[in-house]
Amino acid sequence: MDPRTPCLIGIAQRTVREQPGPEPLDLWESVAREAAGDARLPVERLDSIQIVWTDSWQYDSPVGRLADRLGAAPRHRVYSKVGGTAPHLLIGAAMAAIAAGELDSALVAGAEALATRRAYRKAGEHVPWSHPADPKPPYGWERPPHPSALAHGLVLPVHTYPIMETARRAATGLTIEEEMRERARIMAPMTEVAAANPHAWRRTAREPHELGDRFVGWPYTRDTVAVLEVDQAAAVVLASTELADRLGVPPDRRVYLRGWAYAEDTWEVATRPALGSSTAIARAAEAAFERAGLTLDDMNALDLYSCFAIALRQACDAIGLDPLDPRGLTVTGGLPYAGGPASDYVLHSTATMAGLLRAQSGHGLVTGVGMHLTKHTYAVWSSEPGGRLGGAAPVHVAKEVPLVESCEGVGIVAGYTVAHGRDGAAEKGFLVLDVPGGRSYAVVEEAALLAEAEERELVGERVRVAGDGKLNVATW
């Protein structure tokens, strides 16, 4: 084997349930030391330290503060942008650098303390965390929302993802009730996995009929979407085979990235060629499996990114996987139950998969999703070396449908949702419309229409649209 062959040799996860808990810097240090200990690598020896963006707190120098805590002086430092694919992008780039002989070791860590932030705020107290950035940096997304999305108030994933869900529901011919029942059947087994995962945030097995709590972004209920306010951290240590040999890491504790791939859908939901399906997912999966020299049937375990059911469903549709496959869709319990720590979840699924492959050998698939089902990463891990890594250059970029910012007259509903408040009441409808020249966003404000939207299928229906140049309002 080439001595530069990269492998994963250290893993760590931590979940803190006592409130208030530690700040993100404390969590980074904790999992970094644990993962390095698992790798038999002195933390001060790390060649690279990379951190996934944290929503909890903006430090003046995230990587620098962690390096100081660890007594390390890494020559390579990275702090990521926002997005659920960020861990894969960091891991993939680090693996490539190790294979090229540019690095011999790398730590990739991430942490969120959003539950603790909520506890402080609920108590009316200031969050007493260290080293705040001053001035506070801009939010770390790669692209801000389109002005039309901002004008319509459509920026939260809990509202954009159900729009795609309703589009798929209509395309597959499911009724509203059938979609909800099918979703519960898909997600209930995930709660059983979470119940057995000591690192999961919610560790209660649920039956399908128990997942129908209040709506958040209709038709999604609170119990079927990612739980964001968690205190969780994870880390992995990557190294060359040569360094792993020198550290005395046994071969059965090394896990290999056989192949991975990245693809993009459109950044705006309204501009997606098909709201309910994704060619980008299919291309990312095809490339990852081809690079790994393996197929879906070769996978012993799977973890599909599960922030919302449509992410699972589009993935299953694209790769030809039965959502009730006996292998299951997650090794952690998924983002609604194991925990959805903002951009960091894939570090948890990767660490869990690595631990599983150490224990039983074989191959595993871990996927990531970024932004509004925009970015897709597929990574094939194995207890056996082989394949070829691949890289971050997108294997597919979806072609945009034109976005019409202001429209008047008639539009046809392509997808929609109804936003609900904390009291459970419907507050506003969001629509994506097919209009002359492309697609538009619109809102629904009348209470009677919101109630009707939840009772019958609106996709494919004609609605009247009135616009003021920025905001489009739909009625029927």
Side-chain angles (χ1 to χ4, degrees):
M1 185 188 305
D2 188 329
R4 296 180 300 180
T5 298
C7 51
L8 187 158
I9 61 172
I11 57 177
Q13 295 186 72
R14 184 179 177 194
T15 295
V16 180
R17 294 182 175 82
E18 300 77 18
Q19 298 300 322
E23 65 175 282
L25 180 56
D26 297 324
L27 293 171
W28 288 334
E29 180 183 8
S30 174
V31 291
R33 291 189 181 280
E34 183 180 345
D38 186 48
R40 306 183 181 188
L41 178 69
V43 288
E44 62 273 13
R45 169 69 178 73
L46 285 164
D47 212 7
S48 171
I49 293 180
Q50 306 185 35
I51 297 178
V52 177
W53 174 279
T54 178
D55 276 356
S56 302
W57 188 250
Q58 295 311 307
Y59 290 96
D60 54 2
S61 175
V63 178
R65 294 299 178 183
L66 176 58
D68 290 346
R69 285 278 191 98
L70 299 177
R75 56 195 176 96
H76 181 254
R77 306 174 182 215
V78 180
Y79 186 57
S80 85
K81 292 291 189 179
V82 170
T85 57
H88 268 158
L89 298 175
L90 295 180
I91 290 170
M95 287 288 206
I98 291 169
E102 299 166 1
L103 298 173
D104 69 2
S105 63
L107 168 79
V108 182
E112 291 292 351
L114 291 167
T116 286
R117 277 193 69 95
R118 182 182 184 187
Y120 278 118
R121 286 174 174 171
K122 190 173 181 180
E125 298 177 16
H126 175 71
V127 179
W129 292 342
S130 64
H131 310 298
D134 185 18
K136 188 176 180 180
Y139 192 61
W141 47 34
E142 293 180 39
R143 303 186 195 181
H146 191 280
S148 185
L150 288 172
H152 289 85
L154 187 57
V155 294
L156 296 178
V158 75
H159 300 142
T160 58
Y161 280 72
I163 288 175
M164 292 179 277
E165 186 71 82
T166 57
R168 180 188 181 276
R169 180 185 70 201
T172 56
L174 291 172
T175 66
I176 292 171
E177 293 75 17
E178 287 170 341
E179 183 279 316
M180 291 182 180
R181 288 196 298 269
E182 181 187 83
R183 176 173 8 120
R185 286 196 299 271
I186 292 170
M187 303 192 82
M190 298 170 66
T191 71
E192 298 175 8
V193 178
N197 176 4
H199 301 293
W201 190 255
R202 294 173 172 169
R203 300 192 62 202
T204 302
R206 310 283 289 278
E207 295 294 329
H209 70 272
E210 296 178 300
L211 298 179
D213 198 358
R214 67 173 176 85
F215 291 119
V216 282
W218 182 91
Y220 288 151
T221 61
R222 182 180 58 177
D223 288 333
T224 59
V225 303
V227 52
L228 187 64
E229 290 179 322
V230 298
D231 285 6
Q232 292 182 317
V236 297
V237 170
L238 316 171
S240 66
T241 293
E242 179 182 24
L243 179 58
D245 288 342
R246 284 194 276 119
L247 295 171
V249 179
D252 63 0
R253 294 187 64 78
R254 307 178 192 185
V255 181
Y256 301 90
L257 182 57
R258 290 275 295 247
W260 77 286
Y262 169 75
E264 286 184 5
D265 273 303
T266 63
W267 286 75
E268 283 299 313
V269 172
T271 63
R272 206 142 297 171
L275 287 182
S277 61
S278 172
T279 300
I281 293 176
R283 297 294 175 265
E286 288 169 5
F289 284 131
E290 186 275 329
R291 291 166 178 173
L294 298 166
T295 69
L296 179 62
D297 290 341
D298 294 320
M299 298 300 103
N300 300 97
L302 310 165
D303 196 276
L304 304 186
Y305 202 86
S306 54
C307 50
F308 300 91
I310 188 62
L312 289 170
R313 284 168 157 158
Q314 284 197 5
C316 289
D317 292 345
I319 67 178
L321 178 68
D322 182 345
L324 300 178
D325 188 288
R327 289 171 292 186
L329 302 182
T330 179
V331 295
T332 67
L335 286 87
Y337 314 112
S343 299
D344 194 39
Y345 172 77
V346 166
L347 273 180
H348 292 264
S349 54
T350 298
T352 303
M353 183 66 76
L356 187 153
L357 295 176
R358 282 175 169 182
Q360 65 181 40
S361 73
H363 317 293
L365 174 68
V366 175
T367 79
V369 167
M371 308 312 290
H372 303 280
L373 260 181
T374 301
K375 304 165 71 174
H376 308 283
T377 47
Y378 273 62
V380 178
W381 292 92
S382 180
S383 58
E384 305 168 7
R388 55 190 179 90
L389 281 176
V395 297
H396 177 86
V397 176
K399 185 177 180 180
E400 293 186 349
V401 174
L403 182 61
V404 179
E405 295 189 42
S406 180
C407 60
E408 291 274 353
V410 174
I412 298 174
V413 179
Y416 71 104
T417 185
V418 177
H420 284 242
R422 290 186 177 274
D423 61 357
E427 294 182 337
K428 181 189 287 188
F430 297 104
L431 281 66
V432 170
L433 302 175
D434 288 316
V435 298
R439 293 237 186 84
S440 284
Y441 293 118
V443 298
V444 179
E445 298 174 332
E446 296 181 23
L449 298 183
L450 296 179
E452 186 179 344
E454 296 183 357
E455 294 170 356
R456 68 179 181 90
E457 182 62 80
L458 283 190
V459 175
E461 293 290 311
R462 295 165 66 88
V463 298
R464 297 185 300 277
V465 187
D468 62 5
K470 291 184 177 180
L471 180 69
N472 304 315
V473 179
T475 57
W476 56 88

